[in-house]
Amino acid sequence: MIYLDNSATTRQHDRVTEVMLQYMREDFGNPSSLYSLGLTAEKAIKEARKKLDRAMALPEGTCYFTSCGTEADSMAILGVARARGRRGRRIITTQVEHPAVLEACKQLEQQGFEVIYIGVDRECGLDMEQLKDAINEETILISVMQVNNETGAVMPIDEIAELKQNALLHTDAVQAFGKIPLAKGADLVTVSGHKIHGPKGIGALWTGKDVHIPAFLAGGGQESGMRSGTENVPAIAGFGEAAALLSSEMLGEEPVRKVRDRLLCGIRDEIGDIIVNSPDDGCPSVLNISFLGTRAEVLLHTLEQDEIYVSTGSACSSNKKGQSHVLKAMGLSDREIEGTLRFSFGRYNSVGEMDEVVDKVKKAVERFRKLGSFR
Ligand code: PLP
């Protein structure tokens, strides 16, 4: 199997699984219990938070564990709106955010907030002039992802931090974490476990030391009262382990770039009529390519027969059949979008296996084009 859909999810690291099993089988206590089993679980959470803090390498602040990246996005966006809704009603985001951000913003629009969606260019680069013009004294929140999940485009978070005036800046760093250093200029940062070879169903929201948002879930007061509910200790411990592994043995930016470059060069050499939608200076974990005159869904299933797994775009959308809002915002035509595949890389990919992928993609594209069923 060659798994090239690491932006959708990653294979869990064996060490992460071992750690999780320990907190399922033996140290299964409730962290709020007063006896030693509870204290062991509480300690596991403390250790995991330390490991996550170290891996995120952000300025002074607090990490709150959540049930996923989506929840952390909601906690940030809805939380800032609740905390600051009296000061201003404008929120700025982009047209290419993950649905976790877009849908939270839509909820706020229904509550009377004004949401401005900043556009991107053909390379998924943010329209900074439009962003600058949109920031005013009414702006309470700017939410811009650090790395786009479909193209790998890296957004200039630290530059935006310089422009934000009184607004708080949130960045969805789900696709950035573990791949490139996290931007230090944001006030709130979202990360998720399953994109870094950690468990699914665990995420975190980091908030800077001067950021105050209301509790997301009311109840027993866990997570410093910000997110009540008995903690998912195995997932938290697993997330901490995955975060610790990032620095010790995960693929760095350079090895991933080599894998991506090998695939890109091979595809460029072997297959005509393509458009590369990922910017050259994007995050190396993602490569988005349109194979003109094809249908990506058919290519995907053809590749699946050879146990090569890729995506047609964002697998996180429940609307799996819908066209990519990201590629639309970049100005691709419907037919270009139709033929677009996303390859995304993780620690288990090697440069060597990319030659096989090029060969199989070439065959799938040629077969489709020969049939001419789309042209
Ligand atoms: N934000 C981005 C950019 C993502 O790519 C994803 C998942 O693909 C999420 C948020 C949601 O994270 P989770 O699956 O942990 O809810």
Side-chain angles (χ1 to χ4, degrees), residues 226-291:
M226 284 295 292
R227 196 219 178 251
S228 288
T230 302
E231 300 91 334
N232 185 349
V233 182
I236 290 173
F239 191 13
E241 193 62 25
L245 286 164
L246 282 177
S247 50
S248 62
E249 59 166 278
M250 286 285 170
L251 273 182
E253 193 175 347
E254 275 318 302
V256 174
R257 190 170 287 285
K258 279 188 190 142
V259 173
R260 179 193 121 121
D261 287 353
R262 178 70 159 257
L263 181 61
L264 178 57
C265 285
I267 288 176
R268 274 203 169 120
D269 287 349
E270 297 291 331
I271 308 172
D273 280 344
I274 62 161
I275 306 172
V276 179
N277 301 307
S278 294
D280 286 343
D281 60 355
C283 184
S285 54
V286 185
L287 181 58
N288 187 302
I289 299 181
S290 302
F291 298 89

Side-chain angles (χ1 to χ4, degrees), residues 213-224:
I213 54 171
F216 189 67
L217 289 180
Q222 291 90 344
E223 291 301 285
S224 310

